[in-house]
Amino acid sequence: MNISENLYVVKKNIALAAEKSGRKADDVRLIAVTKTVGCDDVAECIRCGHRDFGENRVQVLQEKLDGLKGLPEFNEINWHLIGHLQSNKVKYCANKVSLIHSVDKISLAQEISRFAQNKGIDVHCLLQLNVSGEESKSGLDPLEINKFIEEFAELKRIYIDGLMTMAPIDADDVFLHKIFAKTRELSVDIDRQKVHNMRMMHLSMGMSGDYECAIEEGATMVRVGTAIFH
């Protein structure tokens, strides 16, 4: 494993894909996904200058925080929770991450709002959509968006800053582009509604096998693990 070289290749690919969509590499934030690696590899990635990391599970996130807190760069790190979040785990992570990518139901949003109000903080999230329709994938059904928005607009101290989606692992490029383009279109539709606590600033879509397709369709965040840590 050569994390420095892998980072270079991924960032080069991001720049090329961004250019295809008429954007700059800086328009896309690379989230290095750490779910399969230990603190030593994360620390090496930090030493290479990277600062955005994503973790799937709350317990493992805490282990990473504990294991890395001695690093001089620790306070510069932006942590993203990208995996499924249960309502009873909100209190363990909502004030420790810069962004929760995986809000997929109104009950979870309500719990985050309660926690945020109790702590006197604002919590920023993405709405996870199941655009592909795969039963195995988490995410809100796009047909339920309007109902979600109606209830979400009543919540305090929680903000939806964009959308997140996951494409099928075995999808071909044509279907990948379709999924990511549909997610982008949904973000435009939501933005038009001018909901006070929902701002479509981010599209978190694309992983190690499909991040270039996602960028070509407008991704502003890509969640890449294997391509960096292998």
Side-chain angles (χ1 to χ4, degrees):
M1 180 194 303
N2 190 317
I3 292 172
S4 178
E5 289 184 5
N6 292 345
L7 269 174
Y8 174 81
V9 171
V10 171
K11 289 180 178 180
K12 182 178 179 181
N13 291 340
I14 287 173
L16 291 172
E19 185 179 357
K20 283 187 179 180
S21 61
R23 295 184 295 153
K24 299 177 181 178
D26 290 345
D27 295 333
V28 183
R29 186 181 300 185
L30 172 60
I31 313 298
V33 178
T34 62
K35 67 176 182 176
T36 62
V37 298
C39 288
D40 289 345
D41 289 330
V42 180
E44 177 62 24
C45 197
I46 293 169
R47 285 191 287 271
C48 291
H50 200 68
R51 294 293 182 269
D52 282 284
F53 295 89
E55 190 50 69
N56 279 51
R57 296 172 54 204
V58 174
Q59 181 179 341
V60 180
L61 169 66
Q62 187 58 58
E63 291 171 1
K64 294 283 192 338
L65 291 172
D66 291 340
L68 296 166
K69 62 185 177 183
L71 292 178
E73 305 92 344
F74 182 75
N75 290 328
E76 301 172 11
I77 301 171
N78 297 308
W79 284 100
H80 301 248
L81 187 75
I82 61 174
H84 178 68
L85 177 60
Q86 297 174 311
S87 293
N88 63 355
K89 298 290 181 63
V90 167
K91 59 187 175 183
Y92 300 117
C93 71
N95 59 342
K96 297 175 182 177
V97 297
S98 60
L99 192 64
I100 298 172
H101 289 229
S102 49
V103 171
D104 59 355
K105 56 177 67 72
I106 193 63
S107 58
L108 175 57
Q110 290 166 340
E111 182 58 33
I112 293 171
S113 175
R114 281 192 288 269
F115 175 85
Q117 291 180 74
N118 287 338
K119 291 288 186 181
I121 61 173
D122 294 332
V123 177
H124 292 265
C125 308
L126 303 179
L127 176 61
Q128 181 177 357
L129 299 181
N130 185 350
V131 178
S132 69
E134 276 191 297
E135 292 185 5
S136 61
K137 289 281 192 295
S138 298
L140 185 74
D141 186 325
L143 296 176
E144 299 293 322
I145 288 175
N146 288 337
K147 181 181 178 183
F148 178 93
I149 290 174
E150 184 179 345
E151 296 184 67
F152 186 83
E154 303 297 321
L155 301 182
K156 298 177 181 179
R157 308 216 73 155
I158 179 174
Y159 298 89
I160 294 290
D161 290 346
L163 304 180
M164 186 268 256
T165 199
M166 297 173 65
I169 294 174
D170 57 352
D172 60 25
D173 280 1
V174 173
F175 191 55
L176 287 173
H177 279 280
K178 181 179 178 181
I179 293 297
F180 297 139
K182 179 63 175 178
T183 306
R184 184 189 69 245
E185 291 164 7
L186 289 168
S187 75
V188 173
D189 292 341
I190 293 170
D191 224 22
R192 286 179 179 146
Q193 299 192 43
K194 304 296 183 185
V195 185
H196 72 97
N197 54 353
M198 298 182 76
R199 303 167 295 176
M200 296 292 106
M201 300 183 296
H202 300 303
L203 284 174
S204 172
M205 51 190 197
M207 300 187 292
S208 287
D210 55 24
Y211 66 89
E212 291 158 289
C213 288
I215 292 168
E216 290 173 22
E217 295 297 343
T220 66
M221 294 181 173
V222 291
R223 310 178 305 274
V224 178
T226 304
I228 296 171
F229 301 107
H230 75 272

